[in-house]
Amino acid sequence: MEPLIDAATEARERAYAPYSHFAVGAAVLAGGRIFAGCNVENASYGLTMCAERSAIFAAVAAGEQRIDAIAIVTAADSPTPPCGACRQVLREFGPHATVISATTAGQRTQHTLPQLLPDSFGPDNLT
Ligand code: THU
């Protein structure tokens, strides 16, 4: 998982967060490859994109639709969990994914997506 955390840490450096000043980096492992993302804020606030979804969408855009793990890195005092919207988007491509939250200071937590989003809504609910 170290390369994944390293990629998220590096992506965090490219966060565009002039309003919250809360820089987030994320990286997903999909198809054996790593795809990174960062949060991108907007003057209209509501159009802000989280780092996790940036990374997930980068993987999908590259042709990878199965996500095995995601790492999220912030400089917060404790590891930052993914927001609800990002949990639901991750559910689509990584229903069993490992979710690692890490701080730049080295703290870490690890969960599975079902732990973070139990009894979730997914593609099977539409059949
Ligand atoms: N943010 C993320 O990128 N991921 C999360 O899971 C939580 C929040 C971003 C959105 C916004 O740019 C800033 O953090 C403060 O909410």
Side-chain angles (χ1 to χ4, degrees), residues 18-20 40-49:
Y19 308 109
S20 72
V40 181
E41 298 185 346
N42 188 273
S44 71
Y45 291 11
L47 292 178
T48 290
M49 178 56 62

Side-chain angles (χ1 to χ4, degrees), residues 16-17 20-25 38-41 48-52 72 74 80-84 86:
Y16 178 74
S20 72
H21 304 289
F22 191 71
V24 186
C38 59
N39 55 330
V40 181
E41 298 185 346
T48 290
M49 178 56 62
C50 289
E52 295 91 323
I72 303 145
T74 68
T80 304
C83 79
C86 291

Side-chain angles (χ1 to χ4, degrees), residues 3 6 21 27 33 36 39 54 56 62-64 95 97 100 103-104 116 119:
D6 289 347
H21 304 289
R33 295 194 284 164
N39 55 330
S54 296
I56 293 165
E64 300 294 349
I100 299 161
T103 68
T104 50
L116 297 177
D119 196 23

Side-chain angles (χ1 to χ4, degrees), residues 47-113:
L47 292 178
T48 290
M49 178 56 62
C50 289
E52 295 91 323
R53 277 176 289 156
S54 296
I56 293 165
F57 294 156
V60 174
E64 300 294 349
Q65 296 189 357
R66 183 180 163 171
I67 292 173
D68 296 314
I70 184 168
I72 303 145
V73 173
T74 68
D77 289 340
S78 57
T80 304
C83 79
C86 291
R87 293 179 196 202
Q88 181 63 40
V89 171
L90 182 58
R91 164 67 180 82
E92 190 80 13
F93 303 106
H96 306 291
T98 298
V99 180
I100 299 161
S101 294
T103 68
T104 50
Q107 283 191 55
R108 286 176 197 180
T109 59
Q110 183 170 321
H111 298 90
T112 64
L113 186 68

